[in-house]
Amino acid sequence: MPTLFLSDSGLHGDLLYSLISESLPFNWEKSEFGKQKHCLKNYDVIVVDCYALTAKSTPSAEFNYLKNITHSRVLLINFPADLPGYITIPLEDRKFIFLCDNRSSQKELINKLDLAIHNTRTQGDSDSRSQLLLTKREQEILAQLTTGEPNSIIASRLHLSEHTVKNHMYNIFRKIGVKNRLQASNWAKLHLQVERI
């Protein structure tokens, strides 16, 4: 199924779409806010350029449109860093993922978007269930894994044997559906709470 890029009309949306669609080899389609309303279910993932989303006292048309999207995989990019809670909370409640704000570099945007789309496609709705299936100790080990340290250092920090850390790693990889430490680290950066990493 294709991936939909939603943005406002204009040069900014066109340029961002060109950057993303040329950098990431997915089956992309582009649309403007207000269109494609009744066929969103035909898309695997929806990536929304939130450039037009503002922190005005009255909700923007884009915000009202976003609130009405019914899709399980929506990634929000290029949003203002200072969005107030009355905008972010309703979207977070709908399980939308705030991926990169408007201060992110192009490289960071492409990397996070690539990882998020791959994870969304391969794991779908199991991401949140996978995180819940991880024990507290497994989450601690996974957070330590993001530092790039070897198992011996992780074991020393957490006062465990190296063999125990290896066993936990095996279980973590199986639960979150990854094959190596790099994939596990990337998964952790997207799904574990920020304060753990």
Side-chain angles (χ1 to χ4, degrees):
M1 287 179 24
T3 299
L4 178 65
F5 179 85
L6 268 180
S7 71
D8 61 347
S9 61
L11 182 60
H12 172 80
D14 291 341
L15 290 173
L16 189 56
Y17 175 71
S18 293
L19 168 73
I20 290 171
S21 61
E22 290 173 12
S23 300
L24 300 173
F26 298 112
N27 181 12
W28 289 97
E29 290 184 16
K30 181 181 184 299
S31 184
E32 296 172 10
F33 286 114
K35 299 182 179 177
Q36 300 283 0
K37 194 173 186 177
H38 301 291
C39 58
L40 293 178
K41 66 182 182 297
N42 297 325
Y43 295 97
D44 194 25
V45 181
I46 299 173
V47 177
V48 182
D49 172 20
C50 297
Y51 176 74
L53 203 58
T54 61
K56 295 185 289 189
S57 58
T58 57
S60 64
E62 291 80 11
F63 174 64
N64 289 327
Y65 178 77
L66 281 175
K67 281 194 324 186
N68 293 316
I69 289 179
T70 53
H71 196 281
S72 61
R73 299 175 188 100
V74 178
L75 306 174
L76 305 177
I77 61 169
N78 201 29
F79 49 88
D82 60 346
L83 282 178
Y86 75 86
I87 291 179
T88 59
I89 292 170
L91 301 179
E92 287 170 344
D93 288 346
R94 298 183 66 83
K95 306 294 186 220
F96 291 1
I97 298 172
F98 284 85
L99 201 59
C100 285
D101 65 29
N102 58 6
R103 299 173 299 182
S104 302
S105 68
Q106 289 181 1
K107 183 179 180 182
E108 182 182 5
L109 170 66
I110 295 301
N111 289 341
K112 283 188 173 182
L113 196 52
D114 186 31
L115 184 61
I117 292 173
H118 274 101
N119 281 342
T120 302
R121 287 186 167 184
T122 57
Q123 297 171 6
D125 294 329
S126 67
D127 285 341
S128 57
R129 288 194 300 271
S130 295
Q131 184 178 349
L132 293 174
L133 292 175
L134 294 177
T135 65
K136 186 175 180 179
R137 178 61 88 184
E138 288 170 343
Q139 289 183 30
E140 289 172 345
I141 290 172
L142 189 53
Q144 290 293 317
L145 178 73
T146 63
T147 65
E149 300 287 352
N151 288 352
S152 58
I153 302 292
I154 294 172
S156 175
R157 278 191 194 143
L158 298 177
H159 308 291
L160 299 170
S161 73
E162 197 170 341
H163 180 73
T164 301
V165 171
K166 276 185 183 179
N167 284 339
H168 280 302
M169 292 280 192
Y170 172 79
N171 290 330
I172 291 166
F173 288 13
R174 184 178 48 80
K175 286 181 180 181
I176 65 175
V178 299
K179 296 179 181 176
N180 58 46
R181 292 172 72 97
L182 178 61
Q183 289 177 350
S185 178
N186 288 337
W187 188 95
K189 288 174 184 173
L190 274 176
H191 298 96
L192 282 186
Q193 296 173 357
V194 175
E195 59 269 15
R196 283 198 173 277
I197 300 176

